[in-house]
Amino acid sequence: MAKKTTDEPETEANLLPIMNIMLLLIPALLLAMEVARMGAISISPPMHAKGGETEKPPRKPAQQLRVFVAEDGFVLSGTDNAGEPLRIALTDDRKDLLDPSRYDYAALEQHAVRLRAAQYEPIVRVDAEGSIPMSALVATLDALRGTGCRMAGLAAGEQPPPECLFWSVVMEPGVGQG
Amino acid sequence: MSAESDEAFLARKAAKRQSRRGFVEEKAILGMTSLMDAITIIVVYLLKNYGSDPVVIAPTQGQKVPLSRADTPIQDGVPIYVSQKSITLAEKRVVQMDETGEIDPSALQGHLIGPLYDLLAEEADKAKQMAEGKGEEWEGRVILIGDQNLKFSVLVDVMYTAGRAEFREYAFCVVQQGG
């Protein structure tokens, strides 16, 4: 005699279509994500410099650094235009303009350390010749900021650490070599 | 007798033997629940990562973004892609460059890049309205995603044009060294 059962048959959810969608989503999201980690260098136009005493004019105007990136090297001067501008020659003038080792960034950083210790403000006013590539400009800003400078917290309102030298960049095209 | 009919004969024989002994082969069911759990966690993690960036930077074809030690995260702004071939804004190729990497002279009025200015002014209006709707102050930031070989003169023209369209903060997009 056949046994009668009152139990309902167990139904299992068909997960295969959901699995298919999920497996398609993973490579799509991975492709959409950045492979390289991006960062930003904030640049201000002449009126919006940060970090200096721009709101209250000091009795004695604070000294700011001006850097001109020329095809034959760097030219450093102060905003008071006192004294001869300091020139930093190329490492090798036979090197191509696009060669990252053409400029002496180590010497630039050494001067930045010395000038920052001499009570210069952290603002640097940068200009360059029209032919200078962006990579050289970015490397110049890196050297002026200093090797140990970490500014990841700046976006959250933190102040840059003391290792940061000239971290506030004002782009002043057309000012020239001072 | 062929190999195929041999196999069929052996299979029938095995089935007969099993049915005589009351042995029924169990069907293997693939356990999907644990796999589903793992995949759901991965998808949620990826979605969270994707959504946390204020701006998604995708350099145009052939564009090499310069390397830098800068570790400041990219803040919200209008991205402008400037390669050796063109200037792209809001996925529209706005200006073409010539063979030397300079801006097409017909698009230039002094330092002002006409077509770029028109689009940037539109973007500025949109961004201002959005900021007003949120009750926030408009920051007026452009993100310049330039090629590593981009000439400073081109960069100046782009920055000047952005300034004329009321943008007052610039950020150079870089690839973090060792990042």
Side-chain angles (χ1 to χ4, degrees):
Chain A
M1 207 169 109
K3 194 180 172 186
K4 271 190 183 175
T5 56
T6 52
D7 294 343
E8 281 181 25
E10 261 184 43
T11 51
E12 269 186 41
N14 188 8
L15 294 173
L16 270 172
I18 303 165
M19 282 288 290
N20 288 341
I21 294 165
M22 294 283 209
L23 284 173
L24 280 174
L25 266 174
I26 290 174
L29 287 167
L30 281 172
L31 281 174
M33 277 170 72
E34 296 168 22
V35 178
R37 210 168 159 189
M38 297 291 191
I41 302 174
S42 288
I43 308 286
S44 302
M47 294 302 289
H48 293 91
K50 291 173 196 160
E53 293 175 30
T54 49
E55 284 171 14
K56 290 177 190 170
R59 282 177 197 167
K60 189 186 167 194
Q63 184 77 300
Q64 289 178 6
L65 178 65
R66 202 171 257 154
V67 175
F68 184 77
V69 189
E71 282 190 15
D72 60 352
F74 300 111
V75 183
L76 276 65
S77 59
T79 42
D80 62 355
N81 290 323
E84 276 292 298
L86 178 83
R87 290 177 187 275
I88 302 172
L90 300 173
T91 53
D92 186 349
D93 56 6
R94 288 165 298 177
K95 282 181 179 167
D96 189 74
L97 206 56
L98 302 176
D99 191 330
S101 59
R102 180 182 160 93
Y103 288 94
D104 195 349
Y105 298 112
L108 177 67
E109 191 173 335
Q110 277 174 13
H111 283 291
V113 171
R114 183 179 57 78
L115 292 169
R116 190 74 179 92
Q119 301 305 310
Y120 269 69
E121 279 193 68
I123 299 169
V124 59
R125 299 179 177 273
V126 180
D127 189 13
E129 273 184 52
S131 56
I132 300 302
M134 192 177 177
S135 54
L137 190 70
V138 166
T140 303
L141 300 180
D142 278 357
L144 287 167
R145 216 170 33 249
T147 309
C149 178
R150 295 282 171 268
M151 292 180 34
L154 201 70
E158 286 175 23
Q159 279 297 306
E163 299 87 56
C164 293
L165 306 168
F166 294 94
W167 56 269
S168 178
V169 183
V170 181
M171 205 56 84
E172 277 190 336
V175 170
Q177 303 190 23
Chain B
M1 210 190 281
S2 68
E4 209 175 307
S5 56
D6 262 356
E7 271 179 29
F9 171 74
L10 287 172
R12 272 201 304 275
K13 204 175 164 186
K16 244 182 203 174
R17 200 184 308 133
Q18 278 173 4
S19 65
R20 262 204 309 274
R21 289 178 189 169
F23 175 80
V24 183
E25 198 181 346
E26 273 181 33
K27 261 192 180 178
I29 299 165
L30 193 64
M32 292 275 232
T33 315
S34 53
L35 195 61
M36 269 293 290
D37 291 348
I39 286 176
T40 309
I41 290 164
I42 293 169
V43 167
V44 170
Y45 169 76
L46 288 173
L47 277 170
K48 199 193 160 289
N49 264 16
Y50 183 68
S52 63
D53 293 334
V55 188
V56 179
I57 304 292
T60 52
Q61 206 175 16
Q63 188 180 13
K64 281 185 182 170
V65 178
L67 289 170
S68 169
R69 291 196 303 258
D71 60 346
T72 313
I74 295 175
Q75 288 175 284
D76 201 5
V78 175
I80 307 174
Y81 297 88
V82 192
S83 74
Q84 291 280 78
K85 290 176 182 169
S86 63
I87 299 175
T88 309
L89 175 69
E91 293 180 9
K92 284 180 202 152
R93 197 172 276 198
V94 188
V95 183
Q96 290 287 335
M97 307 293 208
D98 62 17
E99 308 82 52
T100 57
E102 297 279 0
I103 298 166
D104 180 10
S106 65
L108 269 177
Q109 299 152 2
H111 283 293
L112 189 83
I113 310 164
L116 180 65
Y117 172 78
D118 296 340
L119 259 180
L120 274 175
E122 262 179 49
E123 288 288 329
D125 286 342
K126 271 190 231 167
K128 271 184 215 166
Q129 279 175 3
M130 275 178 72
E132 216 175 273
K134 286 181 191 170
E136 292 170 0
E137 198 194 345
W138 180 56
E139 288 180 320
R141 186 183 292 111
V142 283
I143 303 160
L144 296 167
I145 304 122
D147 190 274
Q148 61 180 6
N149 297 340
L150 186 75
K151 289 178 182 171
F152 184 69
S153 58
V154 177
L155 209 57
V156 168
D157 292 344
V158 174
M159 286 167 76
Y160 176 79
T161 307
R164 285 287 298 272
E166 293 184 58
F167 287 92
R168 51 181 187 268
E169 283 287 325
Y170 312 104
F172 287 168
C173 178
V174 291
V175 172
Q176 288 185 31
Q177 258 170 355

